[in-house]
Amino acid sequence: MHKIKVCPGSWLVEIPEENLSILCGVPQDVIKFLKKEKLIEKKEKNGVVFESGPNAILLSDIPLQHGQFTNLAEFPILQIFYRQGKIIPGHPNNDGKKPLLLGSKNQINAQAQYILRGNYGLISEEELREAGLDEELIRFFYDIKTFFAFGKIKSIDELLEIRAIDASPVTIGKDLTITRKELNVFEFRYQEEIEMVDLNIYEKSEVFPYELPVKKHPNSYWSIINTGEGTGWDVDNPCMSSILVFNGKLFLIDAGPSVLATLKALGIHPSCVAGIFHTHCHDDHFAGITSLIRTDHKLGYYAVPVVRLSVQKKLSALTGIPEKDFMSFFSPMDLVEGQWNSIEPGFEVMPLFSPHPVETTIMYFRATDRVSGKQHIYAHLADISSLEVIDNMRKGTVWSNPVNSKLIEKAINSYFIKSDIKKIDAGKGMIHGNPLDFLSDSSDIILLSHIDEPLSSEEKKAGLCVEFGTVYEIFKESESHKEDKYRNILIQYYPFIDDKRLDFLLQNSEFRQYEHQEYVLKPGEIPDRVFYIVDGLIEMKQPKEDWGQIPPGSVIGEGAVFSSSAIGEFYRAYSYANVFSISTNDFMSIFSDDDLTDYLEILTRRYFLRTTWFRDEPVSSLVLHALAKEMTPVFWEKNTPIESNDNSINIIKEGRISMSFDNGMGISLGRGEMIAKIPLVEDIVNSCKMIAETDCRGFSIAYDKVSGIPMVSLKIIEEYLKRSQICGFSII
């Protein structure tokens, strides 16, 4: 028996005598880590090339750790099915054995739904009807799914062999037993050998399978940034994706795994993302979605209803968050297929259906320059079918329906709409596009993407393979828009100053762009200015600690100015950062005596929030400032029961509180930890009792004041799930 570390939260346990290779823990991009460690290799049999790899998966007990999914089994299962050939009819490596899925009953049930979504999207005509499709489209989508599913949409029992693992030894194969010893810790025993596998993730910062070059992006009125040309299998590159910049706002097209690495390399803080356009729910376009909802504002979410519904159901399966609570994390806008939908004045999108195993749309974007009136079209074609695959549909039942044939012809025509820039899926194979189909496309620029195998010289003639971070800046940003950003930051911190004083501060401020790894301040320096981050990325670290990110909108140096003391942290730019600053004299002149007293109390509370779980989350000091103004002091006397007010969050500042469940198990909570009573965790809260172990002080915040901050809701869910599972109670 061999145990090999794959990445944080994942191990590979191999028992050759049992013909078992068990992937324990499946965080994002785990397939890329397996390939990087040479744990997946090419093989050949009867002239057919395929991959080796695990044939069993053990799930984590905790589906969310540090805000990241830890049970993303979809791509490992797809790798077994298609890259290893285990589900392909007639494949020489298809031995008829189903992959083995292991874990707690709750997690297995959740993964069953999630894996079905990854294979098929919406899995019944009833669900397609729920998405608002008419009967003709329902028939079309179901026939397409059936075609890609080799004639049948299978149940989870037909796809996988499932075994629940609990505190008693479970026999797998002939002589292997697996036992859960404690939460997320498992014992593997094979004959006289024992291996322990711990699936808890202790690293707070994410680890990525590749390193990306540091790039700078322009704050344009309209530009397109290439952020991914690879696939879910490509070890060296992010999955196919792009970022659109319109009027200074950033919009992502899809959110694949390791999206935070992409944003960081470009100097973009996650809180700067305004919204996401979603083409479909496969993990290489979906798995980074929790990274994006760990922000301080609700993201705009743009998709046709049938895609949105498949994403809602998949996200609910992974997290246990009810589908109805999708609105807690996003501001969704349902797009109308086949029409131009206005996102903002001068910015439109037209989604068009594309044949794929799950509900999918390609997207055309149109921006209008507010000065010249000139229009520019960018097309994003992920994921598409090759003309060869579509031609194969003509031989089956899909094409026999005249409505289907008309819709497929419409899809083919939609691929070739002339655009200024068109990015295409050139991944080939059974479910992707072929670059040769676009040799005669009339678009001005064609970008080839979704590639994990080298293209032939003929295929390269279809378009360009551009590197990560390549920017097509079409319309530039105006100077007046930049000044509006500075003004808005000052107004939110200091609403009591008048316009005349505000104009004075702006006229006497200094603007500077800091380059990659250029320091703003260092420990020991006494600042003579207060700094405000406008955009880009600033990193901060205490001596002997790791670097953390500070969002735009944050202020640096004000505490040192108030106390006339030296800075205790390092502050530097990553990629780049645009910062404006005001002198200490001008800063102090902002406040009257009363204003200063109130502001220092808010500042004290804000610094306290930074010592709690907010510390490791991407929340700007501007947002913490707003929260601090809403905090109400609370006191709990020793030995008294604690009843959380409905829809409130309480944070402990001093003392300890015990939290016990009906089964007698419990935990003790201390400084910086939260107790909450909100609908998202109502089932858990109602099942426990809380008592003050000591005299306790803290702060209470009404949930409606923070409900627009998705990171807060996600953190509450993560913490309560962890607590309940430690105590043997679970809602997923």
Side-chain angles (χ1 to χ4, degrees), residues 257-405:
S258 302
V259 67
L260 292 184
T262 294
L263 295 176
K264 184 178 180 181
L266 294 168
I268 299 171
H269 193 274
S271 66
C272 294
V273 177
I276 172 175
F277 292 94
H278 224 158
T279 63
H280 65 294
C281 73
H282 273 152
D283 265 8
D284 54 334
H285 301 260
F286 162 90
I289 201 164
T290 52
S291 299
L292 296 178
I293 59 180
R294 285 176 63 199
T295 58
D296 55 20
H297 65 281
K298 290 185 179 182
L299 291 179
Y301 182 87
Y302 309 99
V304 296
V306 72
V307 171
R308 173 185 49 76
L309 188 61
S310 65
V311 168
Q312 281 181 227
K313 291 182 180 296
K314 189 172 183 180
L315 187 61
S316 179
L318 275 174
T319 63
I321 300 170
E323 290 178 43
K324 64 181 177 61
D325 291 321
F326 190 75
M327 296 279 284
S328 299
F329 301 95
F330 298 99
S331 295
M333 173 182 171
D334 283 344
L335 303 178
V336 180
E337 191 270 343
Q339 296 182 21
W340 287 108
N341 298 257
S342 177
I343 305 302
E344 292 191 2
F347 181 36
E348 303 165 285
V349 61
M350 179 170 63
L352 294 156
F353 290 133
S354 177
H356 201 54
V358 301
E359 298 77 17
T360 301
T361 60
I362 59 174
M363 292 187 173
Y364 284 81
F365 299 89
R366 185 167 67 188
T368 304
D369 184 26
R370 57 187 166 186
V371 178
S372 66
K374 182 180 177 182
Q375 290 189 328
H376 183 274
I377 292 178
Y378 169 69
H380 193 89
L381 275 58
D383 287 8
I384 59 176
S385 293
S386 68
L387 297 184
E388 179 184 2
V389 169
I390 291 175
D391 191 55
N392 288 336
M393 294 181 186
R394 302 175 192 268
K395 304 168 186 175
T397 58
V398 175
W399 203 267
S400 62
N401 183 331
V403 173
N404 286 358
S405 61

Side-chain angles (χ1 to χ4, degrees), residues 45-59:
K45 186 175 182 180
N46 300 339
V48 177
V49 177
F50 56 94
E51 292 180 348
S52 65
N55 56 11
I57 291 170
L58 173 64
L59 300 169

Side-chain angles (χ1 to χ4, degrees), residues 51-106:
E51 292 180 348
S52 65
N55 56 11
I57 291 170
L58 173 64
L59 300 169
S60 168
D61 289 334
I62 306 172
L64 275 172
Q65 295 190 57
H66 309 302
Q68 302 298 320
F69 290 137
T70 53
N71 282 337
L72 291 169
E74 176 190 311
F75 256 62
I77 291 294
L78 292 177
Q79 193 268 344
I80 296 171
F81 284 165
Y82 298 103
R83 311 282 283 199
Q84 294 186 37
K86 297 292 188 180
I87 202 174
I88 301 174
H91 194 284
N93 198 41
N94 185 349
D95 56 10
K97 294 181 180 178
K98 295 182 289 187
L100 187 58
L101 185 66
L102 310 167
S104 70
K105 291 180 181 178
N106 291 322

Side-chain angles (χ1 to χ4, degrees), residues 435-482:
L436 296 178
D437 295 339
F438 291 84
L439 286 173
S440 59
D441 189 289
S442 60
S443 298
D444 295 341
I445 297 174
I446 293 181
L447 308 178
L448 305 180
S449 188
H450 219 299
I451 302 165
D452 70 334
E453 296 289 347
L455 298 177
S456 69
S457 56
E458 186 68 16
E459 289 168 340
K460 290 178 181 178
K461 292 178 182 178
L464 304 174
C465 294
V466 298
E467 65 179 22
F468 172 85
T470 298
V471 177
Y472 293 89
E473 186 175 21
I474 312 303
F475 307 134
K476 294 184 179 296
E477 183 183 42
S478 68
E479 290 299 319
S480 62
H481 188 263
K482 294 179 183 178

Side-chain angles (χ1 to χ4, degrees), residues 109 477 556 656:
N109 291 336
E477 183 183 42
I556 302 172
R656 299 200 70 82

